[in-house]
């Protein structure tokens, strides 16, 4: 598709998203304290509206993401290497012309999943034209019936390789990654929200820790944990119902507050907790029921006005399509690693945009996890007003000349603008890693 045709189609299909900055829903998420119930009323769409939603979602999903038009000549991947040192897992790719890209994986998950990267993913991409990245991401799931392992097992290694390839292309084009997955940078700076990930502590301890961390990050939004994480057992008992009003009273009306239950509740209890959140003007309610309980999700969405956020655990573009078309979600939260990389995540963000929904991606990793998320957010049109900041791995020596990668006195982080990821890892640190080189099997064509 010619570049000008692609750009015109993208603009037309995502025209709805361009108005999000002034839409009532966007204002509500940005300023949830401004009124007693600031959210737009939830409405179950009719069958005809659902079918129309599906058509719009499909059109957005099917648009190309990777800016192949920037690269007129083949870029053949001559080597793919996985590098390991202590808890660190890096991926390094090189083209036949000598271009190089590097990524840092989700260390916790890659410690278990690295054989999948070596045996079932990387060989598929080796000696192929990396400009076909978008097509290869789909075909790789067919190779060796990889689709049978859909989910984190496939997607963390797949994302690790994709990030390295995007870094390579960014260096070739002298552009940040955001300009490889979008036509322009829409969010050069990102407002952070301060998250507290502790669950089994008292409400008082939770508030103390939030106050401590906000003093460092200067965040104007916060999020904390509810419930028992995919369990109906909460410790201390009734912690959530006590904590929700305490956080609002402690931080005042000007703080944007959200909470995450990680699928802790059955629908009835999720609704009870959600109504308390509404009473205290919370911005969004994350994963109120188990992530794969789509019937329970619909019950909760029908009963509440507060926007529902989810997607951290979701492995399927088709499932996102379903919940968006049925208006069961207000915010999508696909994870850069868990969902298989930026190309797949961009398809979901675009689907959400055409229905006026926001995208606030989840972060699953230290290392460079936050940097990948920032590049992604820089390129989407329906970004939420605040995004989670997680500290980097302090063992990672790096330099970034275009950003401090830390929030300033206003709780804002600048997205790196250098080529690729825009971050340089200390070469001496890289040399400490054991290098495992990928080899393409001789019977590759029959390996399926």
């Amino acid at each position: 598709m010619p570049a000008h045709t692609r750009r015109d189609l993208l603009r037309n299909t995502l025209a709805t998203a361009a108005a999000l900055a002034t839409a009532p829903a966007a204002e509500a998420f940005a300023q949830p304290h401004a009124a007693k119930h600031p959210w737009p009323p939830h409405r179950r769409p009719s069958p005809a509206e659902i079918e129309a939603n599906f058509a719009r979602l499909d059109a957005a999903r099917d648009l190309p993401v990777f800016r192949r038009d920037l690269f007129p000549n083949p870029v053949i991947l001559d080597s793919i290497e996985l590098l390991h040192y202590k808890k660190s897992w890096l991926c390094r790719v090189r083209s036949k012309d000598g271009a190089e890209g590097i990524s840092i994986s989700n260390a916790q998950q890659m410690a278990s999943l690295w054989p999948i990267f070596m045996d079932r993913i990387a060989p598929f991409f080796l000696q192929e034209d990396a400009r076909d990245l978008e097509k290869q991401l789909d075909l790789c799931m067919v190779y060796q019936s990889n689709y049978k392992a859909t989910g984190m097992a496939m997607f963390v290694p797949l994302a690790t390789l994709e990030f390295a390839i995007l870094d390579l292309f960014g260096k070739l084009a002298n552009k940040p990654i955001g300009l490889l997955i979008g036509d322009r940078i829409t969010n050069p700076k990102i407002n952070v929200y301060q998250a507290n990930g502790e669950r089994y502590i008292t409400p008082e301890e939770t508030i103390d820790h939030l106050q401590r961390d906000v003093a460092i990050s200067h965040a104007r939004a916060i999020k904390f944990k509810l419930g028992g994480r995919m369990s109906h057992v909460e410790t201390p008992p009734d912690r959530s119902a006590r904590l929700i009003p305490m956080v609002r009273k402690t931080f005042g009306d000007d703080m944007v507050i959200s909470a995450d239950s990680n699928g802790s509740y059955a629908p009835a209890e999720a609704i009870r907790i959600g109504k308390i959140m509404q009473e205290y003007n919370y911005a969004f309610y994350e994963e109120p029921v188990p992530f794969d309980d789509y019937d329970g999700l619909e019950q909760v969405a029908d009963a509440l006005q507060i926007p529902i956020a989810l997607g951290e655990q979701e492995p399927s573009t088709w499932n996102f399509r379903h919940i968006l078309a049925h208006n069961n979600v207000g915010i999508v939260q696909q994870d850069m690693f868990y969902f298989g990389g930026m190309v797949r995540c961009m398809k979901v963000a675009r689907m959400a945009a055409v229905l006026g929904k926001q995208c606030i991606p989840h972060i699953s990793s230290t290392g460079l996890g936050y940097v990948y998320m920032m590049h992604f957010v820089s390129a989407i049109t329906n970004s939420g007003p605040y995004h989670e900041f997680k500290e980097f791995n302090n063992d990672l020596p790096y330099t970034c000349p275009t950003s401090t990668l830390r929030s300033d006195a206003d709780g804002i982080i600048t997205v790196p603008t250098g080529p690729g990821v825009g971050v340089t890892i200390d070469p001496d640190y890289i040399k400490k890693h054991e290098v495992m080189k990928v080899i393409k099997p001789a019977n590759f064509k029959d390996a399926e």
Side-chain angles (χ1 to χ4, degrees):
M1 181 184 296
H4 68 88
T5 304
R6 178 186 180 276
R7 288 193 295 270
D8 291 343
L9 181 59
L10 181 61
R11 290 192 187 100
N12 291 338
T13 304
L14 301 183
T16 303
L20 276 177
T22 57
E27 291 176 358
F29 295 162
Q31 297 180 337
H33 54 277
K36 180 64 176 175
H37 292 299
W39 315 282
H42 179 83
R43 186 175 67 83
R44 173 69 41 219
S46 69
E49 288 172 323
I50 291 172
E51 287 303 311
N53 286 344
F54 279 139
R56 298 173 69 194
L57 293 167
D58 291 345
R61 177 200 60 202
D62 293 342
L63 286 169
V65 174
F66 175 64
R67 294 289 309 280
R68 195 183 192 279
D69 57 291
L70 295 174
F71 306 96
N73 301 315
V75 180
I76 307 300
L77 291 185
D78 194 46
S79 69
I80 299 175
E81 298 168 318
L82 191 64
L83 287 65
H84 177 226
Y85 171 66
K86 294 183 178 179
K87 294 182 179 181
S88 171
W89 293 90
L90 312 180
C91 172
R92 182 168 59 200
V93 298
R94 291 191 177 103
S95 72
K96 285 188 179 295
D97 295 330
E100 180 178 301
I102 195 162
S103 70
I104 297 185
S105 188
N106 180 316
Q108 179 182 9
Q109 305 303 334
M110 203 61 157
S112 300
L113 300 176
W114 68 267
I116 294 177
F117 178 97
M118 295 293 296
D119 298 337
R120 303 178 70 94
I121 293 178
F124 184 82
F125 290 81
L126 190 60
Q127 303 303 328
E128 299 293 331
D129 188 347
R131 297 180 304 164
D132 296 327
L133 172 65
E134 196 156 343
K135 178 175 69 175
Q136 291 165 344
L137 290 170
D138 290 333
L139 293 177
C140 180
M141 296 302 293
V142 181
Y143 173 61
Q144 297 198 82
S145 297
N146 281 333
Y147 64 88
K148 296 180 184 292
T150 292
M152 188 186 297
M154 281 297 299
F155 290 155
V156 169
L158 194 63
T160 299
L161 180 55
E162 186 212 72
F163 295 157
I165 292 173
L166 289 175
D167 185 51
L168 180 152
F169 276 119
K171 291 170 181 173
L172 280 176
N174 196 31
K175 295 179 183 293
I177 285 178
L179 289 177
L180 303 181
I181 59 173
D183 290 333
R184 60 191 176 90
I185 298 298
T186 56
N187 302 297
K189 296 180 181 292
I190 294 176
N191 295 296
V192 304
Y193 71 74
Q194 181 65 56
N196 177 269
E198 300 163 297
R199 182 170 264 112
Y200 305 108
I201 60 175
T202 66
E204 291 79 8
E205 289 174 308
T206 304
I207 289 172
D208 284 345
H209 295 176
L210 279 169
Q211 288 177 313
R212 174 200 64 199
D213 295 338
V214 167
I216 297 171
S217 67
H218 307 288
R220 293 174 292 171
I222 56 179
K223 188 180 79 175
F224 59 89
K225 298 293 188 180
L226 300 172
R229 181 181 287 276
M230 295 293 287
S231 167
H232 303 323
V233 179
E234 183 172 78
T235 305
D238 208 29
R239 170 180 176 270
S240 299
R242 294 173 52 215
L243 181 56
I244 292 167
M246 289 174 64
V247 174
R248 172 58 71 202
K249 291 173 182 176
T250 299
F251 288 93
D253 288 344
D254 288 336
M255 180 65 79
V256 176
I257 307 175
S258 304
D260 176 12
S261 86
N262 289 110
S264 293
Y265 305 121
E269 180 66 0
I271 292 168
R272 181 181 81 91
I273 295 297
K275 288 183 176 178
I276 302 173
M277 295 172 71
Q278 288 181 170
E279 180 181 354
Y280 289 93
N281 303 314
Y282 275 51
F284 65 79
Y285 187 4
E286 185 172 340
E287 283 193 338
V289 296
F291 66 92
D292 52 354
D293 181 6
Y294 301 110
D295 292 334
L297 173 66
E298 187 164 291
Q299 293 177 47
V300 175
D302 284 347
L304 299 176
Q305 290 180 306
I306 185 173
I308 305 299
L310 56 83
E312 168 187 350
Q313 316 297 341
E314 183 54 68
S316 169
T317 304
W318 292 102
N319 288 347
F320 272 116
R321 175 182 182 267
H322 177 86
I323 59 178
L324 283 164
H326 287 79
N327 198 28
N328 289 336
V329 62
I331 300 169
V332 293
Q333 295 179 302
Q334 64 276 39
D335 185 287
M336 298 293 104
F337 278 105
Y338 297 168
F339 199 66
M342 296 192 194
V343 169
R344 285 173 49 83
C345 285
M346 180 60 81
K347 289 182 177 294
V348 173
R350 288 177 175 176
M351 288 197 297
V354 297
L355 297 187
K357 310 295 186 181
Q358 292 189 330
C359 180
I360 303 177
H362 180 261
I363 314 171
S364 62
S365 178
T366 55
L368 291 184
Y370 189 81
V371 181
Y372 297 135
M373 186 276 285
M374 286 198 294
H375 281 296
F376 176 77
V377 169
S378 77
I380 62 177
T381 61
N382 56 331
S383 164
Y386 299 96
H387 295 273
E388 182 174 0
F389 176 68
K390 288 186 176 177
E391 283 293 338
F392 302 105
N393 183 346
N394 293 326
D395 295 331
L396 177 66
Y398 65 88
T399 58
C400 181
T402 60
S403 173
T404 64
L405 301 181
R406 294 291 187 272
S407 54
D408 62 19
D410 295 317
I412 299 172
I413 297 182
T414 299
V415 180
T417 57
V421 178
V423 172
T424 300
I425 304 168
D426 184 352
D428 290 334
Y429 176 74
I430 295 176
K431 288 178 183 178
K432 294 179 180 180
H433 290 67
E434 174 190 2
V435 179
M436 296 176 280
K437 189 169 184 177
V438 174
I439 300 175
K440 197 157 195 167
N443 64 339
F444 172 75
K445 294 302 181 183
D446 299 324
E448 296 180 9

